């Protein structure tokens, strides 16, 4: 879904979006990959263009939507609340 990181992952675009507007952070929450979510949120180049600081996909869903969409509790929610 996202371009290959190639040989230098430090130059990966952590703000890239897929065709539905999902960011890498949203995908990390959707798949419950807490380590990836933390890494992406702490990246120097990470930014959110929305005035309220919450990124949204093309139809307005946030990373929180993707985290709670699953049946079991997700670590992504616990990290952002801390």
């Amino acid at each position: 879904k996202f371009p290959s990181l190639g040989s230098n992952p430090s130059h990966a675009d952590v703000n890239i979006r897929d065709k539905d507007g999902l960011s890498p952070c949203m995908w990390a929450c959707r798949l419950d990959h807490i380590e990836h979510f933390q890494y992406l949120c702490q990246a120097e180049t990470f930014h959110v263009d929305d005035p309220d600081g919450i990124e949204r996909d093309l139809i307005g869903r946030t990373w929180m939507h993707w985290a709670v969409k699953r049946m079991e509790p997700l670590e992504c929610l616990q990290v952002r609340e801390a």
Side-chain angles (χ1 to χ4, degrees), residues 1-42:
K1 301 211 187 294
F2 294 102
S4 169
L5 296 179
S7 62
N8 193 344
S10 65
H11 292 128
D13 184 354
V14 297
N15 302 298
I16 196 168
R17 302 292 181 115
D18 68 8
K19 66 179 178 62
D20 297 314
L22 275 75
S23 68
C25 282
M26 291 178 190
W27 273 106
C29 284
R30 185 175 187 177
L31 300 173
D32 199 23
H33 291 181
I34 186 65
E35 298 86 14
H36 296 145
F37 181 73
Q38 291 173 317
Y39 178 77
L40 291 163
C41 289
Q42 295 171 1

